[in-house]
């Protein structure tokens, strides 16, 4: 991390050079992290004229991998991610749960839908495909309740397709029993091996596996968080297309603690890039201020990965960047080895650190 005191010098020798992003670092990770920031001073530099976002050492064969022929049907692409083997696994676990649940009931009410499970029989692969297609189409055709998809009272609101795929009662029976793991194998909450993601982690693992198998991202990457239905995800995606390459579910501090002495953002970045197998390939990562720190930039450089992000005001950095004296639309750049920092004041009355405090790693030594 940077010292709060200034230790920069003005350098005119670097002023007119172009800047290119870095494919790696000649220094080891330990050297990068152990040397005090003031032992390697910051230099004031003039704005780079051109900022190349492409590194010639990036040689990955980016794009789709192992995909069907161009004339393949949409379902063929869908099954690249939700594979037939996994669909069979869902069928097996759903039937297992239904049987175990029904067996555990000493008495089933007269009009319970559980009776229909006995009558119709175990769910089949074809039924499961139809059920999943119904769930997906519910996301496209919005109605106030699930039962409305089978309502025939008003012709103007009738959606016959749903009834043709699966009946209302059968759909609700499958939904009630839907499972993708065997509950009897899961540790209980008091067990040391308990995980809050255990009931769906196998699906996340499948997605990560298939996502890597069928696409190789272009050089620029992005990491961010997203949350829905009470589940928080860390997401590694290709910056240009938004293609999600790796997911990690945040399990909370108790089950997913950040290692001692490490910022959570840096921990997430290293965890995702390592799981994706993208280190030492000249990829360029872009993040917001939650993940960014000067130490992280150094660590990624040592692992052959470039980094650009914004710094929060409470992160350590030289005073020239932390408390710059700038006019409107004015900026200041300082460099320490391969790390470049910039403070920019968007307009008068606004703090520079509330505008665009930026740092990046570059090929410039």
């Amino acid at each position: 991390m940077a010292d709060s005191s200034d230790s920069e010098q003005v350098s005119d020798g670097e002023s007119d050079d172009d800047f290119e992003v870095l494919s790696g670092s000649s220094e080891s990770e330990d050297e990068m992290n152990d040397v005090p920031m003031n032992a390697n001073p910051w230099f004031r530099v003039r704005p780079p004229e051109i900022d190349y976002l492409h590194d010639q050492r990036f040689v990955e064969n980016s794009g789709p991998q192992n995909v069907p022929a161009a004339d393949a049907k949409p379902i063929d692409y869908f099954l690249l991610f939700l594979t037939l083997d996994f669909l069979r696994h869902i069928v097996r676990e759903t039937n297992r749960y239904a049987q175990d649940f029904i067996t555990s009931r000493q008495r089933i009410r007269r009009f319970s839908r559980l009776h229909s499970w006995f009558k119709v029989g175990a769910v089949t692969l074809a039924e499961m495909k139809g059920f999943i297609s119904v769930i997906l189409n519910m996301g496209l055709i919005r109605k106030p309740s699930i039962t409305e998809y089978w309502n025939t009272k008003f012709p103007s609101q009738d959606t016959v397709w749903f009834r043709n795929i699966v009946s209302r009662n059968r759909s609700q029976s499958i939904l009630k029993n839907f499972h993708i793991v065997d509950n009897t194998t899961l540790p209980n909450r008091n067990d040391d091996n308990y995980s809050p993601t255990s009931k769906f982690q196998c699906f996340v693992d499948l997605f990560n596996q298939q996502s890597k198998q069928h696409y190789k991202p272009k050089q620029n990457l992005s990491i961010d968080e997203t949350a829905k239905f009470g589940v928080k995800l860390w997401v590694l995606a290709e910056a240009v297309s938004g293609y999600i390459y790796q997911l990690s579910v945040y399990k909370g501090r108790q089950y997913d603690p950040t290692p001692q002495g490490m910022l959570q953002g840096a921990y997430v970045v290293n965890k995702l890039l390592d799981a994706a197998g993208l280190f030492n390939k000249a990829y360029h990562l872009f993040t917001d201020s939650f993940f960014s720190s000067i130490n992280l930039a150094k660590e990624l450089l040592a692992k052959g990965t470039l980094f650009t992000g914004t710094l929060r005001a409470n992160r350590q950095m030289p005073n020239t960047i932390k408390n710059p004296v700038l006019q409107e639309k004015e900026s200041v750049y300082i460099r320490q080895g391969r790390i470049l920092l910039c403070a920019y004041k968007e307009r008068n009355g606004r703090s520079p650190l509330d505008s665009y405090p930026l740092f990046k790693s570059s090929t410039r030594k």
Side-chain angles (χ1 to χ4, degrees), residues 58 60-65 211 214-224 235-246 273 276 278 283-286:
F58 180 77
E60 295 297 298
N61 182 27
S62 302
Q65 312 284 321
S211 183
H214 297 297
Y215 192 82
K216 190 167 290 185
K218 296 176 182 175
Q219 186 181 19
N220 296 333
L221 306 172
S222 177
I223 288 179
D224 209 342
V235 180
L236 169 64
E238 184 185 70
V240 175
S241 67
Y243 180 90
I244 297 176
Y245 197 70
Q246 193 78 194
L273 289 174
L278 298 182
Y283 277 100
H284 191 158
L285 177 67
F286 295 78

Side-chain angles (χ1 to χ4, degrees), residues 1 12 18 43 76 102 126 132 138 140 148 186 195 204 219 226 244 255 260 263 273 282 289 319 322 337 353 358:
M1 301 295 284
D12 290 330
D18 295 338
F43 289 87
D76 296 323
I102 293 170
I132 292 175
M138 284 179 176
L140 300 175
E148 286 300 310
L186 301 180
S195 171
V204 176
Q219 186 181 19
T226 182
I244 297 176
Y255 302 103
Q260 187 72 25
L263 293 172
L273 289 174
S289 61
N319 272 336
K322 193 178 184 74
L353 285 175
L358 173 71

Side-chain angles (χ1 to χ4, degrees), residues 200-210:
F200 61 87
Q201 186 61 50
C202 62
F203 179 70
V204 176
D205 294 341
L206 173 73
F207 176 86
N208 287 335
Q209 171 189 305
Q210 298 304 110

